[in-house]
């Protein structure tokens, strides 16, 4: 009896084990897909290792002493391969077919691994020193071929998997899971099609055509799919339904990468394959790590209702070189193609405009604003170029200078925004559509001509044609820019006027809503501000006799504030720190409009000779304090309202007359002065200026203080020799009493600079009165720096760090790019920043040079005794500390001023009027010995 029972128990357990191990066809199929995905991920890691190795090879070619390194590729993982082969949910013929494909991929994968192992051994043995990288090149060629073959084999196997899948899971248009799966697969196939078409070049220096049209077409196709994707969400069970929105968000992220790729594909990006490679890897990672992960989650969460199929990860392919390189043209830029504007006969509509049409009209406003942003960038670029180019007008002097250069890589034609705008314009009725699309096309043509002129300037400067024509072509281009800036300003105003006429011809769908009531009141205030802004412009142009009256603006702003609770009734208040709170934007517009009126009333012409035009402050205020607030409110609203446009700084770029040649004054012999007694080593903060005989405030800009020691009589004699205990200190330029208006925009005749910019980029610097002025001040200096000038940048937001090691002025463009990357974030750690700045300055110390730290901040911070002593000691050793403060109001605290005195440097509060010149004065703090 017992043996029989035991036998029965063993039989039952065996049957259960066999039953438990049996897979469904979908489970077996997904095991093959898991093998494909895991293999693809390992191939991607090999791909990245090879990319890094190629960079090392390029470095080795220039600096052989560095040698070559190759990361270990590690062992092969057989788990997913074996699990796919051991699946038991398919018919024998199906399993045999798929196993053959899997084995083929495994063999290809092993060949790639063998090639990597050979390259690793080759690098470790340093055989590249014997064969001049010949074997390395051969192995790389083999790897590139294997990458391509792996992708082909993977695609073939997945195609077989799908054919079998559809036998077990036929499509049904009534099943929401299958309908959603099909929609996801169409999106995935579209993204993979683009990835297959995009090139990735092993050599980043390759200059080749990049498929702009394919990327643009894919971006527009994404827009169409986004409009219809997700219609089945309500028919799905949670949590599968939640993955529909996540998958859609992944598609939006893919589209954003394409948009940035199109806009960033400017002339600078076209000079190498770096931009295309970065786009390729960004899309690949977004596709594998976001989109496919959301699809995988949807498949998993759908299991209770429907078993679906996974999608394998994309595996990259690499090319060695381009077949055809980009051809460059040396022709002059043709004028933009202007178009006659079709007449716009606007008629009142009986029904409200569709939500899609309202979105499109606001897209036009966004396109105008982006065009103005790009124009402003170019205005700054050509303004800086113009001031530098003047020093190259004389060929004899130009030959002695570093080469004149030009770069406009920060300027980007808004290609993606324009393409999406034209696609969305189908929602605008035809009588109006032709008029607005024609005007948008003209704006785009103007921007393209601006881009073309800059490309021409790059060739002009790099080929040194200015030495032959004394800047004649350069002058013609700058003259043309002045015309184009004016034309774009007028054209954008006409386009916005027409967009607004179309918008106002439709009745609002919810005229009683608080969003609409408040938005309409805000628009009335904006219109008054717009009128004042244009009147100020006319006055400063000399086209109006006086400043405008601000009565209407003041009345509208007062009314806006008085009616706040009536206008905003029913809208939720979240608090000023919440960006979703509409009250913040409403209240700020009312308050700022009053301030704008006061600003106009208080304006008085300045006699200062600074380069900043008085209109600049109105430009920043109007755009940042009025337009910004209004448009943020409109973006939050749900009432079919229209945003407004920014206004350009029409005075940002002004043509200057050729500067007369300046002959430097002859050197005069200095009166011989007997050496004075050296003061004691201790320096007190309050008496710093008296500690150096004959130099009461040597490097500072302020007026000299009365001397309090026996050397007072000597201070009247200008000289540049300072006697101290340490022999390291040499020459200091004493005459720092010159005012801003008396300075010259040139470093000729001044000592080489070792300038460390110690920048506060904490979150408090995020203000139009702070970070933009700081960047502008630095960039003004960059137009003048010479190869012998060294610039370093130390940041002290959070942990103090050196973001730019000492860099020659010949690389001004590189320094400028670093400045553009500055963002306000984190907390202030001034003490560590000062320590690191002095360490950097001392490493690059220039004897007889202007060794100076310039601390830029928006507020005071506690300074330790250790740092105070460091400042004092370094000032004695010819390393000075100057301090710039930023903000709407000048600081009244004395600590920073005392620090600058202790550091024997200058102290200044930077404003709109002085931003362009303050840092140049610091670079002119010391005369050259020659």
């Amino acid at each position: 009896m017992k043996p029989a029972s035991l036998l029965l128990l063993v039989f039952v357990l065996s049957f259960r084990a066999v039953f438990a191990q049996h897979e469904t066809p979908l489970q077996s199929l997904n095991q093959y897909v898991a093998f494909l995905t895991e293999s693809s991920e390992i191939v991607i890691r090999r791909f990245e290792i090879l990319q890094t190795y190629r960079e090392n090879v390029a470095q080795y070619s220039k600096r052989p002493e560095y040698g070559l390194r190759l990361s270990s590729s590690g062992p092969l993982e057989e788990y997913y391969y074996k699990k796919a082969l051991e699946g038991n949910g398919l018919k024998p013929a199906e399993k045999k077919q798929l196993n053959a494909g899997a084995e083929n991929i495994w063999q290809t994968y092993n060949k790639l691994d063998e090639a990597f192992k050979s390259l690793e051994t080759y690098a470790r043995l340093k055989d590249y020193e014997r064969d001049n990288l010949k074997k390395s090149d051969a192995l790389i060629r083999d790897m590139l071929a294997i990458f391509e073959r792996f992708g082909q084999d993977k695609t073939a196997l997945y195609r077989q998997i799908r054919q079998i899948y559809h036998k077990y899971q036929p499509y049904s248009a009534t099943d929401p899971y299958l309908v959603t799966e099909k929609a996801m697969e169409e999106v995935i196939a579209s993204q993979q099609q683009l990835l297959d078409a995009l090139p990735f070049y092993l050599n980043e220096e390759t200059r080749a055509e990049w498929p702009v049209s394919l990327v643009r077409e894919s971006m527009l196709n994404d827009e169409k799919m986004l409009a219809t994707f997700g219609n089945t969400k309500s028919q799905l069970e949670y949590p599968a339904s939640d993955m529909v929105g996540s998958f859609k968000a992944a598609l939006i992220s893919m589209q954003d990468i394409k948009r940035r790729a199109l806009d960033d594909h400017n002339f600078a990006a076209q000079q190498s394959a770096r931009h295309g490679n970065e786009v390729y890897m960004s899309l690949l990672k977004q596709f594998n790590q976001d989109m496919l992960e959301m699809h995988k989650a949807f498949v998993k969460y759908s299991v209770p209702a429907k078993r679906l199929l996974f999608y394998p990860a994309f595996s990259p392919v690499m090319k060695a070189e381009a077949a055809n390189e980009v051809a460059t043209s040396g022709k002059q830029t043709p004028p933009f193609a202007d178009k006659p504007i079709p007449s716009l006969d606007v008629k009142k509509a009986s029904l409200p405009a569709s939500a899609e049409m309202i979105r499109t009209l606001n897209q036009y406003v966004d396109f105008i604003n982006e065009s103005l942003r790009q124009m402003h960038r170019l205005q700054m670029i050509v303004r800086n170029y113009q001031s530098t180019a003047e020093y190259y007008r004389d060929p004899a002097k130009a030959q002695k200078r570093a080469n004149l250069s030009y770069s406009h890589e920060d300027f980007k034609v808004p290609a993606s925004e324009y393409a999406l705008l034209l696609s969305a314009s189908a929602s605008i009725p035809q009588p109006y559509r032709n008029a607005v699309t024609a005007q948008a096309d003209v704006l785009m043509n103007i921007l393209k001509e601006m881009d073309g002129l800059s490309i021409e300037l790059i060739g002009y400067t790099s080929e040194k044609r200015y030495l032959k024509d004394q800047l004649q072509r350069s002058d013609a281009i700058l003259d043309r820019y002045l015309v184009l800036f004016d034309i774009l300003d007028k054209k954008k105003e006409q386009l916005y006027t027409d967009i607004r006429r179309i918008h106002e011809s439709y009745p609002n769908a919810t005229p009683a809503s608080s969003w609409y009531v408040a938005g309409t009141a805000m628009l009335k205030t904006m219109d008054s501000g717009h009128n004042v802004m244009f009147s100020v412009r006319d006055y400063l142009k000399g086209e109006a006799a006086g400043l405008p009256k601000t009565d209407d603006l003041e009345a509208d702003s007062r009314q806006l504030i008085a009616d706040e609770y009536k206008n905003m009734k029913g809208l939720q208040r979240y608090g000023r720190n919440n960006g979703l709170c509409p009250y913040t934007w409403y209240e700020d517009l009312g308050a700022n409009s009053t301030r704008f009126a006061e600003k106009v009333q208080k304006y008085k012409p300045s006699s200062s000779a600074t380069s900043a035009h008085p209109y600049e402050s109105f430009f920043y205020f109007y755009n940042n304090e009025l337009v910004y607030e209004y448009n943020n409110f409109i973006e939050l609203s749900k009432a079919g309202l229209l945003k407004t446009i920014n206004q350009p700084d029409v005075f940002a770029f002004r043509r200057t007359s050729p500067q007369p040649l300046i002959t430097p004054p002859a050197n005069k012999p200095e009166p011989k002065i007997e050496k004075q007694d050296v003061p004691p080593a201790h320096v007190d903060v309050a008496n710093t200026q008296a500690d150096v005989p004959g130099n009461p405030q040597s490097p500072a800009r302020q007026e000299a203080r009365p001397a309090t020691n026996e050397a007072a009589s000597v201070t009247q004699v200008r000289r540049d020799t300072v006697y101290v205990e340490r022999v390291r200190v040499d020459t200091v330029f004493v005459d720092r009493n010159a005012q801003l208006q008396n300075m010259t925009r040139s470093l000729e005749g001044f000592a080489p600079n070792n300038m460390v910019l110690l920048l506060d980029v904490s979150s408090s610097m995020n203000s139009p009165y702070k970070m933009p002025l700081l960047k502008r001040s630095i960039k003004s200096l960059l137009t003048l720096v010479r190869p012998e000038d060294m610039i370093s940048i130390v940041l002290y937001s959070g942990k103090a760090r050196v973001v730019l090691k000492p860099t020659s002025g010949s690389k001004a463009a590189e320094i400028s790019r670093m400045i553009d990357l500055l963002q306000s974030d984190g907390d202030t750690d001034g003490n560590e920043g000062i320590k690191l700045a002095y360490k950097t300055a001392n490493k690059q110390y220039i004897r007889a040079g202007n060794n100076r730290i310039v601390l830029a901040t928006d507020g005071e911070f506690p300074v330790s005794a250790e740092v105070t002593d460091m400042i004092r000691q370094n000032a004695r050793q010819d390393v000075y500390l100057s301090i710039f403060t930023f903000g709407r109001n000048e600081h009244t605290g004395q600590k920073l001023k005392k620090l600058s005195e202790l550091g024997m440097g200058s102290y200044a509060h930077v404003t709109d009027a002085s931003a362009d010149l303050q840092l140049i004065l610091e670079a002119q703090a010391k005369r050259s010995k020659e």
Side-chain angles (χ1 to χ4, degrees):
M1 193 69 181
K2 288 184 179 179
S5 300
L6 184 62
L7 186 62
L8 179 62
L9 178 61
V10 171
F11 175 78
V12 170
L13 292 176
S14 301
F15 178 79
R16 286 182 177 178
V18 171
F19 182 79
Q21 291 174 3
H22 186 76
E23 296 175 342
T24 65
L26 267 299
Q27 286 176 315
S28 294
L29 290 175
N30 277 326
Q31 293 293 353
Y32 286 101
V33 178
F35 164 63
L36 292 180
T37 294
E38 180 63 22
S39 301
S40 296
E41 290 176 353
I42 295 175
V43 166
I44 292 172
R45 289 197 286 273
R46 299 287 200 277
F47 186 93
E48 292 172 341
I49 290 173
L50 182 58
Q51 184 184 1
T52 303
Y53 174 76
R54 181 62 185 80
E55 293 171 355
N56 289 336
V57 169
Q59 185 182 39
Y60 170 76
S61 300
K62 299 175 183 177
R63 303 286 298 274
E65 64 270 20
Y66 283 124
L68 286 180
R69 297 176 299 278
L70 182 65
S71 301
S72 175
S73 55
L76 290 180
E77 177 57 65
E78 296 183 345
Y79 173 78
Y80 291 94
Y81 171 60
K82 290 182 176 180
K83 195 163 185 179
L85 296 183
E86 294 168 357
N88 56 22
L90 299 174
K91 297 175 182 178
E94 295 168 344
K95 182 175 180 179
K96 181 179 179 181
Q97 179 188 14
L98 297 184
N99 280 358
E103 289 168 0
N104 190 35
I105 288 178
W106 183 252
Q107 291 174 6
T108 303
Y109 182 38
N110 271 274
K111 290 179 181 178
L112 181 63
D113 185 65
E114 290 170 5
F116 263 91
K117 295 291 193 295
S118 297
L119 190 59
E120 288 174 28
T121 303
Y122 173 82
R124 284 201 298 270
L125 293 175
K126 298 185 177 181
D127 286 345
Y128 51 84
E129 295 177 350
R130 301 179 182 87
D131 70 352
N132 196 26
L133 294 170
K134 288 183 179 179
K135 185 177 180 180
S136 172
D137 294 340
L139 288 171
I140 289 175
R141 284 194 298 270
D142 291 342
M143 291 178 189
L144 299 188
I146 295 172
F147 282 135
E148 187 171 359
R149 188 161 62 252
F150 175 85
Q152 294 169 352
D153 293 344
K154 178 172 67 71
T155 300
L157 179 55
Y158 187 67
R159 190 180 297 115
Q160 295 173 352
I161 293 171
R162 289 199 64 80
Q163 290 173 353
I164 298 173
Y165 167 71
H166 286 305
K167 293 179 183 178
Y168 293 100
Q169 192 67 275
Y171 178 73
S172 172
T174 60
D175 189 316
Y177 289 91
L178 295 178
V179 171
T180 303
E181 181 195 39
K182 183 180 179 181
M184 286 184 174
E185 288 174 350
E186 288 175 353
V187 172
I188 290 171
S190 172
Q191 308 308 312
Q192 183 157 338
Q193 183 180 8
L194 176 63
L195 282 166
D196 286 334
L198 290 178
F200 184 100
Y201 293 104
L202 182 60
N203 181 8
E204 281 196 341
E205 300 307 315
T206 298
R207 294 179 68 238
E209 291 287 352
W210 191 67
V212 176
S213 58
L214 289 178
V215 178
R216 185 191 305 114
E217 183 181 343
S218 179
M219 178 193 69
L220 295 176
N221 191 41
D222 291 345
E223 193 73 7
K224 294 176 183 177
M225 290 188 290
L226 284 168
T228 58
F229 183 82
N231 296 335
T232 56
K233 180 178 179 180
S234 60
Q235 304 173 46
L236 304 173
E237 294 293 329
Y238 178 83
S241 60
D242 213 33
M243 291 302 101
V244 174
S246 299
F247 186 88
K248 189 172 184 178
L251 176 57
I252 292 173
S253 297
M254 293 286 288
Q255 188 192 43
D256 286 343
I257 293 174
K258 297 168 195 175
R259 291 186 63 171
R260 291 195 301 272
L262 288 172
D263 294 340
D264 291 347
H265 187 63
N266 56 13
F267 181 77
Q270 294 169 29
Q271 304 313 299
S272 71
R274 187 172 295 107
H275 168 260
N277 286 357
E278 290 174 352
V279 173
Y280 184 89
M281 293 305 296
S282 295
L283 287 171
L284 183 149
K285 291 177 181 178
Q286 186 67 35
F287 180 75
N288 285 345
Q289 299 173 11
D290 190 11
M291 180 170 283
L292 291 189
E293 286 299 314
M294 295 305 103
H295 175 267
K296 184 178 180 180
F298 172 74
V299 171
K300 286 183 175 180
Y301 291 142
S302 299
V303 168
K306 190 73 62 175
R307 288 193 177 273
L308 304 173
L309 186 66
F310 292 140
Y311 204 96
F314 180 81
S315 56
V317 177
M318 188 181 290
K319 295 183 179 181
E321 300 289 345
N324 298 307
E325 289 204 348
V326 179
T328 55
S329 174
K331 297 181 180 179
Q332 290 191 2
T333 308
F336 73 92
D338 203 351
K339 293 182 178 181
I341 301 174
S343 60
L344 188 63
D345 184 16
V346 178
K347 297 179 180 178
K348 286 290 183 181
S350 57
L351 297 175
S354 65
E356 186 180 3
M357 180 178 171
I358 296 295
R359 280 196 301 271
T360 302
L361 293 177
N362 275 306
Q363 276 184 259
Y364 272 90
V365 176
D366 291 337
F367 172 70
I368 293 172
N369 284 336
E370 182 59 29
S371 299
L372 291 173
R373 272 191 290 271
Q374 296 304 326
M375 185 180 86
H376 185 69
R377 286 181 180 177
L378 202 53
Q379 286 176 307
M380 298 297 101
I381 291 170
V382 296
R383 183 175 75 180
N384 291 338
Y385 166 78
Q386 176 181 240
S387 62
T388 303
E390 280 304 318
Y391 296 102
Y392 292 79
R393 194 172 292 279
D394 183 351
K397 288 191 175 182
Q399 291 279 13
K400 300 177 182 178
R401 293 180 177 273
N403 295 336
L404 177 62
S405 63
Y406 179 85
S407 173
H408 75 309
E409 59 186 275
D410 293 335
F411 175 77
K412 298 169 185 176
V413 176
S416 65
E417 195 142 14
Y418 177 68
L420 290 169
L421 181 64
L422 293 185
S423 176
S425 294
S427 63
I428 301 177
Q430 189 55 256
Y432 307 147
R433 189 191 313 163
N434 287 344
V436 294
T437 54
Q439 293 181 67
D441 194 35
V442 171
L443 287 186
M444 192 67 173
N445 290 340
I446 295 172
L447 292 170
K448 287 179 178 178
E449 185 186 346
M450 291 179 182
D451 186 44
L453 291 172
S454 281
I455 294 172
E456 191 179 339
L457 267 181
I458 291 172
Y460 176 83
T461 55
S462 62
E463 295 169 11
K464 299 183 180 181
R465 280 181 261 157
Y466 52 86
L467 295 176
K468 299 178 181 178
D469 70 353
Q470 286 78 54
L471 295 176
Q472 287 184 18
R473 181 56 189 161
S474 174
D475 289 338
I477 291 174
L478 295 181
D479 289 341
R480 180 61 179 167
Y481 268 128
L482 199 63
V483 173
L484 290 175
F485 294 151
D486 184 60
I487 293 175
L488 191 141
D489 175 40
K490 293 173 181 175
K491 296 278 187 183
K492 61 83 180 160
E493 203 67 28
Q494 180 61 53
L495 176 55
Y496 175 68
T497 300
D498 289 347
I499 290 294
R500 186 162 167 182
R501 287 173 62 202
I502 295 171
H503 178 264
E504 292 175 351
S505 69
Y506 288 84
N508 191 270
T510 56
S513 72
S514 294
W515 285 109
Y516 178 76
V517 172
T520 303
M522 293 172 74
L523 181 60
K524 187 173 185 295
T525 304
M526 281 301 307
D527 286 342
S528 296
H530 176 273
N531 294 336
V532 170
M533 185 68 171
F534 269 72
S535 298
V536 169
R537 178 199 292 193
D538 291 341
Y539 169 72
L540 294 175
K541 280 184 175 181
E543 298 173 0
L547 286 167
K549 294 187 178 298
T550 59
D551 298 349
D552 290 344
L553 178 59
E554 292 179 81
D556 289 339
S557 60
R558 285 180 58 83
Q559 196 64 45
L560 193 66
I561 297 171
D563 294 344
E564 175 179 350
Y565 295 105
K566 180 178 70 174
N567 292 342
M568 302 285 284
K569 185 178 181 181
L571 298 183
Q572 182 70 38
R573 184 188 288 272
Y574 300 106
R576 294 192 64 83
N577 292 329
N578 191 323
L580 298 177
C581 182
Y583 285 85
T584 301
W585 315 118
Y586 182 97
E587 292 169 354
D588 285 354
L589 179 63
N592 292 345
S593 297
T594 300
R595 288 172 51 214
F596 186 57
E598 293 172 352
K599 183 178 180 67
V600 174
Q601 294 167 2
K602 293 178 180 178
Y603 171 74
K604 292 181 180 179
S606 173
S607 59
S608 172
T610 58
S611 61
H613 194 278
Y615 184 77
E616 188 175 280
S617 63
F618 292 102
F619 155 77
Y620 279 115
F621 194 101
Y622 180 81
N623 290 336
N624 294 333
E625 308 291 348
L626 300 186
V627 175
Y628 178 75
E629 312 292 343
Y630 175 77
N631 284 347
N632 272 308
F633 181 89
I634 300 305
E635 287 182 356
L636 289 178
S637 73
K638 305 158 188 175
L641 298 170
L642 184 69
K643 290 190 279 191
T644 192
I645 60 172
N646 289 309
Q647 290 302 322
D649 184 354
V650 294
F651 300 96
F653 174 66
R654 291 166 284 160
R655 291 292 282 124
T656 56
S657 301
Q659 295 182 1
L661 300 180
I662 301 174
T663 303
N667 292 332
K668 296 181 179 180
E670 289 184 0
K672 188 174 181 180
I673 303 174
E674 294 298 326
K675 180 176 178 181
Q676 305 295 316
D677 293 335
V678 178
H682 176 74
V683 181
D684 184 72
V685 176
N687 299 314
T688 299
Q689 307 306 322
D691 286 344
V692 182
N695 185 24
Q697 200 170 353
S698 57
R701 194 166 26 251
Q702 291 88 346
E703 292 290 327
R705 299 179 182 179
T708 58
N709 57 18
E710 296 177 0
S713 59
V714 182
T715 62
Q716 301 304 316
V717 180
R718 293 181 178 177
R719 61 181 191 171
D720 64 353
T721 302
V722 176
Y723 300 96
V724 294
E725 291 177 299
R726 302 286 293 274
V727 296
R728 178 177 164 185
V729 180
D730 40 43
T731 308
V732 176
F733 176 60
V734 176
D735 187 7
R736 296 289 287 147
N737 296 328
Q739 300 299 316
L740 288 172
Q741 59 264 30
N742 295 326
M743 69 165 291
T744 58
R745 291 179 64 88
S746 171
L747 296 183
E748 189 171 353
F750 292 96
N753 286 285
N754 167 30
M755 187 171 289
V756 179
L757 303 177
L758 176 56
L759 309 181
D760 176 3
V761 290
S762 59
S763 55
S764 62
M765 286 288 287
N766 186 18
S767 163
Y769 299 95
K770 298 175 184 177
M771 186 59 70
L773 291 184
L774 171 59
K775 291 184 178 182
R776 201 177 94 200
S777 183
I778 298 172
K779 287 193 172 185
S780 294
L781 173 63
L782 294 182
T783 63
L784 305 179
V785 289
R786 305 152 298 181
E788 61 266 31
D789 296 319
M790 304 300 292
I791 306 294
S792 311
I793 300 177
V794 176
L795 305 184
Y796 66 99
S797 165
K799 183 179 179 181
R801 59 202 185 277
V802 178
V803 297
L804 182 72
K805 294 180 179 180
T807 303
S808 167
S810 62
K811 298 181 180 179
E814 179 182 327
I815 303 172
S816 180
R817 283 196 297 273
M818 179 59 65
I819 297 304
D820 289 331
L821 295 175
L822 295 180
Q823 293 182 339
S824 302
D825 186 28
D827 300 321
T828 301
D829 188 0
N831 282 284
E832 291 304 315
I834 293 174
K835 290 179 185 178
L836 187 56
Y838 274 113
K839 182 178 179 181
T840 305
N842 281 292
K843 278 186 177 181
Q844 190 57 41
Y845 180 83
I846 299 176
R847 187 161 186 79
N850 179 28
N851 299 282
R852 188 170 298 270
I853 296 169
V854 179
L855 190 161
T857 184
D858 65 336
E860 297 191 332
F861 51 87
V863 180
S864 66
E866 177 189 3
V867 169
T868 301
D869 187 61
M870 177 184 291
I871 294 171
R872 178 189 300 113
Q873 295 297 331
N874 276 276
R876 290 162 143 194
Q877 299 179 49
D878 202 19
V879 180
Y880 304 108
L881 174 67
S882 293
I883 297 179
F884 290 175
T885 59
F886 294 81
R888 189 173 293 175
N889 300 310
E890 186 166 357
H891 298 282
T892 57
Q894 298 299 311
K895 291 182 180 178
L896 291 177
K897 288 184 179 180
K898 285 186 176 180
L899 275 185
S900 66
E901 293 170 0
L902 185 64
M904 299 180 72
S906 57
Y907 175 87
H909 183 72
V910 179
T911 63
D912 279 339
S914 64
D916 290 333
L917 303 178
Q918 290 286 10
L919 200 55
I920 296 175
L921 279 175
E922 297 305 312
Q924 296 175 342
K926 187 173 183 180
R927 287 282 184 188
S928 174
K929 279 186 174 183
E930 298 177 0

